[in-house]
Amino acid sequence: MSSPALRVTHVLGDRITVAEERRGVDLISYVYRPEAAWEAPKPYAHPLRTLADNVVTDYRPNDHRWHKGLQMTASHLSGQNLWGGHTYVHGQDYQPLPERVGSMAHLGFDEVAADAGHAVIAERLSWHHHDGTHWADERRRIELHDVEHAAPGTDRADDDGADATDTGGSWTLTWSSAITNRRDEPLRFGSPTTHGREAAGYTGLFWRGPRAFRGGRILGPDGEGPGLMGTQAPWLAYGGELDGVDGHATLIFRHAPENDHTGARGTHPAHWFVRNEPFAAVAPSYAFHEELVLAPGDTLSRRYRVTVADGEWDRERIAEYLAEHPW
């Protein structure tokens, strides 16, 4: 079966949108225009939509204005906050420290293209201290692929009957970032947990789910629920019930095998930051329990996949999908 065609629309200076032509759904908008300094300006992807046209990201919620869809962040970076908003200080909780809030700036695109079943956005960015000092360069590549509509007659039912959105199918986004230290001293990537706050290891690629996903289902290969916070696993899934329509959506987050790195805690594929209360959020943290140190001139490369699916997928269905779609 041929892959559905994808179409790219570029509004210069603002955003790139990738649409699936069969249903005319905008699967992703990648926004790169500058935004408020307090929110640590950086490009982000919002909205993300399922093939059935259901939004599965949130943007500037009133509890955290700097949460914007899916974005690359750095909550603690050598004393700077490229996450946005208040900065965690051990013994003082979160403090308004605007002089610590840095930014990631769009420099240009090396490739923006789409063909049958595949789209790519390749971007160059620079990371900055609050005072504008250049700290790092990033080469970012976002790809959309594996767009799969469910075949007729494959509806799946839960205990309450068929999920009306389950016929929508799924698609996958691969996010690759290569961050090069341009300072004359090491860059130290950390998190609130490395600075003294328990179970707050958020940093790196971060997803904020819509309000309807509060209280959603969290699944891993060997466990379930918010107790998976801080654990290691090659994948983690989050499922939530939709507002406005009858049905659910599921997102599957994966670490690439080459993301493994060695530190005081050994080699690990992922430490997951995940919450379903008071909001839905997932981050495959690269510095949950310990700092990651990047020497001058060195490059930190990370690759992730996010599969966006209509319907409420259980562990068996997720495992089946991942076996059919390996790295």
Side-chain angles (χ1 to χ4, degrees), residues 76 87-95 97 100 195:
H76 288 256
T87 300
Y88 180 78
V89 179
H90 186 54
Q92 301 179 46
D93 204 11
Y94 287 89
Q95 296 294 316
L97 301 171
R100 293 196 187 184
H195 285 67

